[in-house]
């Protein structure tokens, strides 16, 4: 049999490459025109990944790749396939910079920041958001600029700079209102709600979440509506408005299960655990938080895992399962310390002191509270931090 010539090999490689590009274009067209894109992506995820990978390889197919990325990203984000999508995002970002496409570069920097945030790499996430916000501002893209301001606010809050976070969010909201940008107002409200939630300002958290929910509903944005719904459920659980939760949470569970959205489903389970704990239904709370832990263990989101460990530590203390409670709380304490989240670190130490107090370990009880007090005093004065600090100081004093 005659050997295949070099020119023939090059020809067939070219033909194969063209076939792959044509296939990617076909998948893009199907996605753009399908009535249920989320369902389609779930069923054909591997095919869409191949189409994206093929078109990301060369600058001349970047237009196809970018369109695929934009359509796929909000659908697959809930899959928490973040390591893979971080590679895609950085590859696309490199090409956008090579082609001097600043608007695309900014969006890809923003999405890279999203992934890094959920992976727990807060410093790199902040740098990515900051670069994106600078480009958006220079390119006069107000909606996206306000959105990155809101995300930078969230990062400030997680790292203990609560006042700075609230200021940034309020600035984004004010600018968005001045320009009449309803979507940007909704984004700012959702981020603001989550900051208020973490600072235990439940009235403002509920108000901001409700405003975000109403705006997303009016704009017909189901992905963001889901996020606002989950936050609303948490504020209702914390303020005892339990009658509002049942129907909405059942609808959400059905939607999230069918879409494969592991990330949002884990958050919802966490919130339902908080509801059960508030009703002193500790067995149900444990079950909900264990489900959330199993989901989060699949995706390894450090900030959410820390919260679940803390919550499980609390419920196992109530159930007198001492060793498991201590193990969970120590994991939460270690995680929060690593992120620089001093308030939640101190709060978990306070929960650990509850465990030692229940066991009658007076020395460990005092030492744990004293460690939390010393650490929390470094934090800038904020009402929720001061409240926790005063509470712990009274506990130490009364124990003497």
């Amino acid at each position: 049999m005659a050997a295949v010539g070099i020119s023939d090999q090059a020809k067939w490689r070219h033909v194969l490459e063209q076939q792959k590009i044509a296939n990617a274009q076909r998948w893009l067209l199907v996605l753009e025109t399908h009535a249920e894109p989320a369902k389609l992506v779930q069923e054909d995820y591997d095919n869409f990944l191949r189409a994206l990978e093929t078109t990301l390889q060369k600058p001349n197919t970047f237009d196809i790749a970018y369109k695929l990325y934009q359509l796929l990203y909000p659908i697959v984000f809930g899959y928490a396939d973040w390591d893979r999508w971080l590679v895609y995002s950085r590859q696309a970002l490199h090409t956008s910079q090579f082609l001097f496409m600043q608007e695309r570069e900014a969006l890809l920097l923003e999405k890279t920041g999203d992934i890094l945030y959920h992976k727990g790499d807060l410093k790199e996430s902040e740098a990515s958001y900051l670069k994106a916000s600078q480009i958006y501002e220079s390119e006069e893209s107000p909606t996206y600029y306000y959105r990155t301001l809101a995300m930078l606010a969230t990062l400030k809050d997680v790292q203990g700079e609560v006042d700075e976070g609230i200021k940034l969010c309020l600035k984004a909201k004010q600018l968005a209102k001045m320009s009449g940008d309803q979507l940007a107002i909704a984004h700012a409200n959702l981020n603001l709600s989550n900051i208020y939630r973490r600072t235990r300002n439940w009235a403002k958290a509920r108000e901001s979440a409700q405003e975000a929910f109403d705006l997303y509903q009016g704009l017909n944005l189901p992905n963001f509506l889901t996020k606002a719904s989950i936050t609303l459920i948490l504020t209702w659980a914390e303020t005892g408005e339990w009658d509002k939760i049942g129907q909405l949470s059942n609808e959400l569970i059905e939607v999230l299960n069918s879409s494969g959205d592991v990330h949002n489903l884990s958050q919802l389970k966490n919130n339902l655990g908080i509801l059960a704990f508030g009703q002193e239904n500790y067995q149900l709370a444990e079950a909900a938080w264990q489900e959330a832990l199993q989901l989060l263990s699949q995706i390894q989101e450090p900030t959410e895992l820390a919260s679940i460990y803390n919550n499980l530590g609390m419920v196992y203390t109530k159930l007198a399962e001492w060793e498991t409670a201590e193990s969970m709380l120590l994991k939460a304490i270690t995680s929060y310390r690593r992120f620089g989240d001093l308030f939640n670190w101190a709060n978990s130490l306070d929960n650990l002191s509850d465990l030692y107090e229940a066991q009658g370990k007076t020395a460990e009880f005092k030492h744990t509270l004293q460690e939390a007090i010393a650490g929390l005093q470094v934090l800038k004065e904020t009402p929720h931090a001061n409240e926790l600090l005063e509470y712990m100081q009274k506990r130490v004093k009364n124990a003497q």
Side-chain angles (χ1 to χ4, degrees):
M1 182 182 291
V4 178
I6 293 174
S7 61
D8 289 332
Q9 291 178 6
K11 173 186 174 182
W12 287 113
R13 278 199 301 270
H14 178 71
V15 169
L16 180 60
E17 184 179 319
Q18 291 304 306
Q19 286 176 339
K20 288 181 178 179
I21 293 170
N23 188 53
Q25 288 175 315
R26 182 178 69 81
W27 281 110
L28 173 59
L29 180 62
V30 170
L31 185 57
E32 287 176 326
T33 57
H34 201 276
E36 297 183 85
K39 185 177 179 181
L40 174 67
V41 172
Q42 188 179 20
E43 291 172 351
D44 291 298
Y45 187 45
D46 288 344
N47 287 322
F48 281 110
L49 292 183
R50 279 193 289 272
L52 182 60
E53 288 167 2
T54 296
T55 52
L56 278 173
Q57 288 174 7
K58 294 185 178 179
N60 66 326
T61 54
F62 183 58
D63 280 347
I64 303 169
Y66 186 73
K67 288 176 183 176
L68 275 169
Y69 182 97
Q70 280 189 300
L71 291 169
L72 289 171
Y73 184 89
I75 296 171
V76 304
F77 190 79
Y79 297 0
D81 190 9
W82 291 321
D83 287 333
R84 188 201 306 266
W85 278 86
L86 185 57
V87 172
Y88 293 156
S89 298
R90 284 174 166 164
Q91 193 174 353
L93 175 60
H94 176 75
T95 304
S96 70
Q97 291 168 335
F98 175 75
L99 295 172
F100 300 102
M101 294 180 168
Q102 279 208 307
E103 188 176 331
R104 294 184 179 185
E105 179 187 354
L107 184 135
L108 291 162
L109 280 165
E110 181 189 347
K111 301 310 178 191
T112 301
D114 289 345
I115 297 169
L116 289 166
Y117 172 77
H118 287 286
K119 283 175 62 64
D121 193 341
L122 303 186
K123 287 185 179 179
E124 286 296 317
S125 175
E126 185 172 3
S128 197
Y129 282 135
L130 188 58
K131 286 180 187 176
S133 70
Q134 290 167 348
I135 296 172
Y136 284 142
E137 188 175 23
S138 67
E139 291 288 301
E140 298 184 354
S141 301
T143 296
Y144 301 118
Y145 172 61
Y146 306 149
R147 189 167 68 199
T148 49
L149 281 185
M151 283 310 302
L152 283 166
T154 296
L155 278 166
K156 291 292 185 185
D157 170 52
V158 170
Q159 295 173 92
E161 299 180 53
V162 181
D163 290 341
E164 185 62 26
I166 291 173
K167 284 179 186 176
L168 268 176
C169 245
L170 290 174
K171 177 184 176 181
K173 185 175 175 179
Q174 182 182 15
L175 290 171
K177 280 188 172 181
M178 287 170 63
S179 64
D181 192 328
Q182 297 297 298
L183 179 58
I185 296 170
H187 289 329
N189 269 306
L190 184 59
N191 285 51
L192 191 58
S193 175
N194 283 314
I195 294 176
Y196 285 137
R197 170 177 63 81
R198 283 188 287 269
T199 59
R200 277 52 172 180
N201 190 335
W202 298 113
K204 287 188 176 181
R206 184 176 63 251
E207 180 185 339
S208 298
Q210 186 67 59
E211 190 173 345
F213 180 92
D214 294 340
L215 287 167
Y216 288 137
Q217 193 170 47
L219 293 166
N220 192 27
L221 294 171
N223 287 334
F224 288 112
L225 190 61
T226 295
K227 293 177 184 293
S229 299
I230 290 169
T231 303
L232 257 183
I233 286 171
L234 177 59
T235 64
W236 291 338
E238 290 286 356
T239 53
E241 298 175 74
W242 298 321
D243 56 316
K244 296 182 178 181
I245 295 172
Q247 184 178 349
L248 182 56
S249 62
N250 289 335
E251 290 171 2
L252 279 174
I253 288 172
E254 187 175 341
V255 169
L256 296 173
N257 275 323
S258 64
S259 66
D261 191 336
V262 178
H263 177 244
N264 280 320
L265 185 59
S266 67
Q267 289 190 322
L268 179 57
K269 292 291 184 181
N270 184 19
N271 294 351
L272 293 175
I274 291 169
L275 167 63
F277 190 85
Q279 295 175 314
E280 299 184 3
N281 190 337
Y282 301 129
Q283 297 288 350
L284 188 58
E286 182 207 4
W289 285 332
Q290 278 292 351
E291 282 187 65
L293 179 60
Q294 289 171 16
L295 291 166
L296 286 167
S297 296
Q298 296 175 33
I299 62 180
Q300 289 298 310
E301 183 173 2
T303 52
E304 295 292 339
L305 273 170
S307 173
I308 293 294
Y309 287 139
N310 175 73
N311 293 345
L312 281 169
M314 290 168 57
V315 80
Y316 284 127
T317 297
K318 293 291 187 182
L319 295 171
E321 296 185 27
W322 310 128
E323 289 185 11
T324 307
E326 185 176 33
S327 171
M328 292 293 176
L329 288 168
L330 289 173
K331 285 180 180 179
I333 290 161
T334 301
S335 296
Y336 284 132
R337 188 68 179 179
R338 183 160 59 88
F339 302 141
D341 188 344
L342 283 179
F343 175 78
N344 280 312
W345 167 81
N347 185 60
S348 290
L349 279 170
D350 182 52
N351 291 332
L352 184 61
S353 74
D354 289 339
L355 168 64
Y356 292 143
E357 185 177 37
Q359 291 178 289
K361 296 182 176 179
T362 307
E364 289 89 339
F365 166 74
K366 289 182 182 178
H367 173 76
T368 302
L369 281 176
Q370 287 164 348
E371 182 183 356
I373 289 166
L376 199 58
Q377 285 174 332
V378 178
L379 198 63
K380 291 178 182 178
E381 286 196 3
T382 54
H384 71 293
N386 282 334
E387 185 179 341
L388 178 60
L389 186 61
E390 289 172 8
Y391 171 71
M392 291 189 297
Q393 287 171 333
K394 285 179 183 177
R395 292 187 75 187
V396 170
K397 184 178 179 181
N398 292 336
Q400 292 174 348

Coordinates of all heavy atoms in Angstrom, one line a residue, residues 28 31 36 62 80 89 141 170 186-187 209 280 285 294 297-298 300 307 310 347:
L28 N -23.9 25.6 18.4 CA -24.2 27.0 18.8 C -25.6 27.4 18.3 O -26.3 28.0 19.0 CB -23.1 28.0 18.2 CG -23.4 29.5 18.4 CD1 -23.5 29.8 19.8 CD2 -22.3 30.3 17.7
L31 N -28.2 25.7 20.3 CA -28.3 26.3 21.7 C -29.1 27.7 21.6 O -29.9 28.0 22.5 CB -26.9 26.5 22.3 CG -26.9 27.0 23.7 CD1 -27.6 26.1 24.7 CD2 -25.4 27.1 24.1
E36 N -35.6 25.1 25.5 CA -35.1 24.8 26.9 C -33.6 24.6 26.9 O -33.1 23.5 27.0 CB -35.8 23.6 27.4 CG -37.3 23.8 27.6 CD -38.0 22.5 28.2 OE1 -38.0 22.4 29.4 OE2 -38.4 21.6 27.4
F62 N -12.6 32.4 17.4 CA -12.9 32.9 18.7 C -14.3 33.5 18.8 O -14.9 33.4 19.9 CB -11.8 34.0 19.1 CG -12.0 34.6 20.5 CD1 -12.0 33.8 21.6 CD2 -12.3 36.0 20.7 CE1 -12.2 34.3 22.9 CE2 -12.5 36.5 21.9 CZ -12.4 35.6 23.0
A80 N -20.8 23.6 39.0 CA -19.6 23.7 39.8 C -18.4 23.0 39.2 O -17.6 22.5 40.0 CB -19.9 23.3 41.3
S89 N -11.9 29.8 30.8 CA -12.0 31.3 31.0 C -10.6 31.9 30.7 O -10.5 33.0 30.0 CB -12.5 31.6 32.4 OG -13.8 31.1 32.6
S141 N -19.3 50.9 30.0 CA -20.3 49.8 30.1 C -20.8 49.8 31.5 O -20.4 49.0 32.4 CB -19.6 48.5 29.8 OG -19.0 48.5 28.5
L170 N -23.7 50.2 48.0 CA -24.6 51.4 47.9 C -24.2 52.3 46.8 O -25.1 52.9 46.1 CB -24.6 52.1 49.2 CG -25.3 51.3 50.4 CD1 -25.1 52.1 51.7 CD2 -26.8 51.1 50.1
A186 N -30.8 45.5 40.5 CA -31.1 44.1 41.1 C -29.8 43.4 41.6 O -29.8 42.9 42.7 CB -31.8 43.3 40.0
H187 N -28.7 43.5 40.8 CA -27.5 42.8 41.2 C -27.0 43.5 42.5 O -26.5 42.8 43.4 CB -26.4 43.0 40.1 CG -26.7 42.2 38.9 ND1 -27.3 41.0 38.9 CD2 -26.4 42.4 37.5 CE1 -27.4 40.4 37.7 NE2 -26.8 41.3 36.8
A209 N -33.2 41.7 49.4 CA -33.5 40.5 48.7 C -34.8 40.5 48.0 O -35.0 40.1 46.8 CB -33.5 39.3 49.6
E280 N -36.1 24.1 66.3 CA -35.5 23.1 67.2 C -35.8 21.7 66.8 O -35.9 20.8 67.5 CB -36.1 23.3 68.6 CG -35.7 24.7 69.2 CD -36.2 24.9 70.7 OE1 -36.8 23.9 71.2 OE2 -36.0 26.0 71.2
A285 N -32.7 19.3 60.8 CA -31.6 20.2 60.5 C -30.3 19.5 60.1 O -29.6 19.8 59.1 CB -31.3 21.2 61.7
Q294 N -22.8 16.9 51.5 CA -22.5 16.0 50.4 C -22.4 16.7 49.0 O -21.6 16.4 48.2 CB -23.6 14.9 50.3 CG -23.5 13.9 51.5 CD -24.7 13.0 51.6 OE1 -25.4 12.9 50.6 NE2 -24.9 12.4 52.7
S297 N -19.3 18.8 49.0 CA -18.1 18.0 48.9 C -17.8 17.6 47.4 O -16.6 17.4 47.0 CB -18.2 16.7 49.7 OG -18.4 17.0 51.1
Q298 N -18.8 17.6 46.6 CA -18.6 17.3 45.1 C -17.9 18.5 44.5 O -17.1 18.3 43.5 CB -20.0 17.1 44.5 CG -20.7 15.9 44.9 CD -22.1 15.8 44.3 OE1 -22.3 16.2 43.1 NE2 -23.1 15.3 45.0
Q300 N -16.4 21.3 46.2 CA -15.3 21.9 47.0 C -15.3 23.4 46.9 O -14.4 24.0 46.5 CB -14.0 21.3 46.5 CG -13.7 19.8 46.8 CD -13.7 19.6 48.3 OE1 -13.0 20.3 49.1 NE2 -14.4 18.6 48.8
S307 N -19.3 27.3 56.3 CA -20.6 27.6 56.9 C -21.3 26.3 57.3 O -21.9 26.2 58.4 CB -21.5 28.4 55.9 OG -22.8 28.5 56.4
N310 N -19.7 24.7 60.4 CA -20.2 25.4 61.6 C -21.6 25.0 62.0 O -21.8 24.8 63.2 CB -20.1 26.9 61.3 CG -20.7 27.8 62.5 OD1 -20.0 27.9 63.5 ND2 -21.9 28.3 62.3
N347 N -17.3 33.6 65.6 CA -18.6 33.1 65.9 C -18.5 31.5 66.0 O -19.1 30.9 66.9 CB -19.5 33.4 64.7 CG -20.9 32.9 64.9 OD1 -21.6 33.3 65.9 ND2 -21.4 32.1 64.1

